[in-house]
Amino acid sequence: DMIYNMRFNIKLLSQRLTECTQHLMNLPQFNNLPIGYFGASTGAASALISASVLHNKISAVVSRGGRPDLAMGHLADVKAPTLLIVGGHDFEVMLLNRGAMERLPGIKQLKIIKGATHLFEEPGTLEQVAELSGDWFEQYLTRKITPKGLVKMK
C-alpha cells in the first residue's frame, strides 16, 4: 500500500513538517510561542531532520521508539534539547538510539522504559512515555511573555 509506505519517505515528511512549522511561525498568534516536536518511530527521524533545519527555532524534541539512524547525517545540527525514549525490550532500536546520543551535540537524554517493546503496548508503558514527554516539554517549552519578550520560566 503506497500510503502506508509513505512513512519511510523521510525526506518528504521532513520537508512537510519544516514547511508547516515555518507557516505557523509566520502567523502572528504563533510567532512568539516555543515549538516542540514529538515523533514516534520513523516520524522521529522527520522531527530530528526538521529540528536540524530550523536550528534554534525548535525548543524541544521528544522521540518515542524513534529511528534516529534515518536522520544520522542531520543529528550534529540539532540544537533543540532532545529526549530519546526507547522500550527496554526494543533491542535494535535501543542500539540505534545509543548511536544517536553520540552524535547529538546539545542537551540530550536517553530514557529506557523497562519491559516495553517497540509500540509500548505493555500496561503502564505509554503512561510512562507521556509523563517523561510532558516533563521534557514543560522544562523546555514553558515560557512567559514579558514586555521585553520571551524569557524562560524557572
Side-chain angles (χ1 to χ4, degrees):
D1 183 60
M2 188 174 145
I3 294 172
Y4 182 73
N5 288 329
M6 289 298 286
R7 75 190 191 287
F8 290 109
N9 190 338
I10 305 304
K11 182 178 180 181
L12 176 64
L13 295 173
S14 304
Q15 182 180 350
R16 286 181 174 175
L17 180 59
T18 301
E19 289 173 4
C20 180
T21 304
Q22 289 171 323
H23 175 74
L24 285 174
M25 289 187 308
N26 288 330
L27 297 175
Q29 63 268 44
F30 295 114
N31 66 4
N32 281 330
L33 294 177
I35 297 171
Y37 287 153
F38 180 98
S41 198
T42 55
S46 294
L48 288 163
I49 291 171
S50 186
S52 78
V53 170
L54 295 172
H55 299 294
N56 59 354
K57 294 177 180 163
I58 304 304
S59 298
V61 176
V62 173
S63 161
R64 190 221 74 196
R67 291 288 309 276
D69 56 302
L70 300 175
M72 206 57 89
H74 299 268
L75 295 180
D77 295 322
V78 174
K79 306 293 185 223
T82 302
L83 173 63
L84 307 174
I85 304 172
V86 182
H89 290 286
D90 194 3
F91 302 111
E92 184 180 342
V93 172
M94 193 185 318
L95 288 173
L96 297 171
N97 278 262
R98 286 196 168 126
M101 282 290 287
E102 295 174 15
R103 296 207 181 192
L104 286 166
I107 297 169
K108 58 193 173 186
Q109 207 169 74
L110 173 63
K111 290 285 190 177
I112 297 170
I113 307 285
K114 289 181 182 177
T117 54
H118 185 64
L119 297 178
F120 296 84
E121 296 172 305
E122 297 74 21
T125 57
L126 268 182
E127 288 80 359
Q128 290 178 60
V129 169
E131 188 173 334
L132 289 168
S133 301
D135 289 348
W136 193 261
F137 285 135
E138 184 176 7
Q139 183 174 359
Y140 294 105
L141 295 184
T142 306
R143 307 271 198 267
K144 70 175 182 179
I145 297 174
T146 68
K148 294 184 179 189
L150 260 84
V151 296
K152 181 117 174 134
M153 301 264 298
K154 296 287 181 190

